[in-house]
Amino acid sequence: MANVPEDLHYSKDHEWVRVDGDQAIIGITDYAQDSLGDVVYVELPKAGDEFAANESFGSVESVKAVSEVFTPVAGAVVKINESLADEPETVNSDPYGDGWMIRVKMSNPGEVDSLLTAAEYEDFTKAESE
Amino acid sequence: MVDFGGWDMPVQYPAGTIEEHLRTRTHAGLFDVSHMGEIDVRGTDAIAFINRLTSNDVTKLVDGQAQYTALTTPQGTVIDDLLVYRLAENHLLLVVNASTTEKDWEWIKSHHSGESVQLSNVSSDYCQLALQGPDAQSILQKLTDLPLAEIKYYHFSPGSVDGVAGIVSRTGYTGEDGFEVYAPADRAEQLWNKILEAGDSGSSTGVLPCGLAARNTLRLEAGMALYGHEIDETTTLLEANLGWICKLDKGDFIGREPLARQKAEGVKRKLVGFEVTDRGIARDDQEVVVNGERVGKVTSGSPAPFLKKNIGFAYVPIEYASVGQEIKIDVRGRLVGAQIVKAPFYKRAK
């Protein structure tokens, strides 16, 4: 069973959001990394890039497939996880920790309320894998 | 699971593609390739008939030998690539791709004219398991009395594995030593489980079950063509670097004349191997760019787990086909640098 931490917000595209003041840290969920398989390459934006909600901000590649990743909330990128360039497998081993992808300054912090809670996301993945 | 030519097949097993790939290179991997098609050809004209439909020279085979070859169109392009097994002078077994089995079957039947042969599509009678890797021989030897060490590359022997009568062939699609076992379809599960057991599956150096994704990355590293990617009905054998299976002097065969002409004139485009030199992974169907011009297409692009590089095959005009040529690949709008290199990318130490 995939791990779904209580304190995060989730999107239907399988990203998670950790709120830190008016900033959001974004990564992909345990369920997503497990479905992708071994991550071999992560393409991330640059600091300063701005994204609307649900916009593609990069891609995660396994041996077999390329998957786009989307911003659950709008904002400007403050920082990216540079270490994923050399250690993309961190996305598999620690998706909610060292495998984080980008930190954005949210343009509308209220947006997180429209995201799924842990319980809702768990139900959503159950329905999706049935 | 994915649909593959009408078969439900696993892309990967729990170990994952990279581990499956590496284990096959270092120890052993087991692949269920029962989806492959088998066509049985019997009769006094079996060799002559198949020699007329394929590009390699079937008359060179001896009993117990297999040959890589192609069914060719009148234009010299490829209907399918296949193995021809010579069981006897009047008995051949053709092993063809799953997605093309029906097409091949119709093609072969429709080109039968007067020769004394009996054709049967026996695809559903057979299962096929491929045990590949440096430990393949020692694992399989536990289950058979056949002297495996005596079976040479691209040779085979009828015999029993775990008491199941079949064919054991020293062939494969990974670039490693290994065997392919053909047996009655209803014994697939028994053989699969017994080979895993004999190979100490579950230990960190034991045999691993491998899915379609590892089968693809292994064959790509080893520089082998995949039908529908490097070769199809729009590519000639010479463009695909398969001149070595084009025996133009063996006598007439379908497609011989255009191939002979193309050989004399030289090909205008060619399949090349490349290595990505920038960060990024080239994927199937992405375009090749040289001097700002779109000149070709990637036929297979992937990370190569053993070489730890991002590699691929592409068709490019002959003027850009030399080893060392710098090219760009359009990776979803980003031009990523790559260099043409010698294929195969990987060659095992003998």
Side-chain angles (χ1 to χ4, degrees), chain B residues 22-74:
Chain B
L22 297 178
R23 193 70 64 84
T24 304
R25 290 261 181 266
T26 54
H27 294 283
L30 182 63
F31 304 74
D32 182 353
V33 286
S34 302
H35 60 297
M36 303 292 285
E38 289 86 10
I39 293 168
D40 190 88
V41 185
R42 286 176 208 245
T44 47
D45 293 333
I47 289 174
F49 175 57
I50 295 306
N51 213 30
R52 185 165 69 76
L53 266 63
T54 57
S55 58
N56 208 334
D57 190 352
V58 188
T59 67
K60 292 282 193 272
L61 286 176
V62 298
D63 289 355
Q65 192 178 9
Q67 179 180 73
Y68 180 64
T69 185
L71 285 165
T72 35
T73 67

Side-chain angles (χ1 to χ4, degrees), chain A residues 38 41 43 61-63 85, chain B residues 18 217 279 281 283 332 334:
Chain A
D38 305 312
Y41 185 73
E43 196 169 293
E61 302 196 37
S62 67
V63 173
Chain B
I18 292 178
T217 51
R279 285 177 46 76
I281 300 169
R283 300 285 183 177
R332 297 181 300 282
R334 192 165 65 91

Side-chain angles (χ1 to χ4, degrees), chain B residues 124-335:
Chain B
S124 49
D125 297 351
Y126 283 95
C127 69
Q128 187 189 344
L129 301 183
L131 178 62
Q132 300 280 299
D135 297 346
Q137 183 178 306
S138 62
I139 294 168
L140 195 62
Q141 194 64 76
K142 294 181 191 170
L143 299 171
T144 180
D145 294 333
L146 282 172
L148 294 180
E150 287 169 26
I151 301 178
K152 288 184 285 186
Y153 189 51
Y154 267 76
H155 283 72
F156 65 95
S157 177
S160 290
V161 177
D162 194 41
V164 178
I167 294 169
V168 177
S169 161
R170 193 166 212 133
T171 46
Y173 195 46
T174 60
E176 294 305 322
D177 184 24
F179 296 88
E180 293 177 303
V181 178
Y182 299 86
D186 60 353
R187 309 306 282 273
E189 197 176 342
Q190 172 193 341
L191 289 175
W192 175 263
N193 290 331
K194 281 300 175 75
I195 293 171
L196 288 181
E197 201 178 300
D200 202 13
S201 189
S203 100
S204 62
T205 55
V207 63
L208 267 187
C210 298
L212 278 176
R215 184 168 161 82
N216 185 53
T217 51
L218 285 158
R219 71 88 195 167
L220 180 60
E221 268 186 357
M224 294 165 160
L226 173 61
Y227 193 81
H229 293 248
E230 284 69 41
I231 44 176
D232 61 25
E233 290 185 31
T234 70
T235 63
T236 75
L237 288 170
L238 298 174
E239 291 167 344
N241 291 323
L242 292 173
W244 63 278
I245 62 164
C246 269
K247 299 294 154 62
L248 298 170
D249 301 329
K250 73 169 183 173
D252 200 24
F253 65 91
I254 296 173
R256 195 199 79 87
E257 200 197 321
L259 286 167
R261 206 181 319 124
Q262 193 175 41
K263 191 177 181 190
E265 291 170 359
V267 293
K268 295 192 171 53
R269 63 166 189 165
K270 205 176 136 194
L271 185 71
V272 293
F274 66 84
E275 229 176 78
V276 177
T277 47
D278 286 341
R279 285 177 46 76
I281 300 169
R283 300 285 183 177
D284 301 9
D285 298 322
Q286 290 173 346
E287 288 181 303
V288 177
V289 178
V290 178
N291 301 330
E293 219 186 312
R294 292 176 187 268
V295 297
K297 246 185 188 180
V298 174
T299 55
S300 297
S302 169
F306 185 81
L307 299 173
K308 295 192 166 49
K309 289 173 177 168
N310 297 317
I311 60 170
F313 275 125
Y315 275 104
V316 295
I318 194 72
E319 57 267 35
Y320 303 126
S322 309
V323 168
Q325 168 78 44
E326 308 272 347
I327 58 174
K328 302 267 187 208
I329 313 285
D330 183 344
V331 177
R332 297 181 300 282
R334 192 165 65 91
L335 289 184

Side-chain angles (χ1 to χ4, degrees), chain A residues 18-29:
Chain A
R18 176 175 286 128
V19 176
D20 181 13
D22 63 349
Q23 297 190 352
I25 302 160
I26 297 167
I28 66 166
T29 65

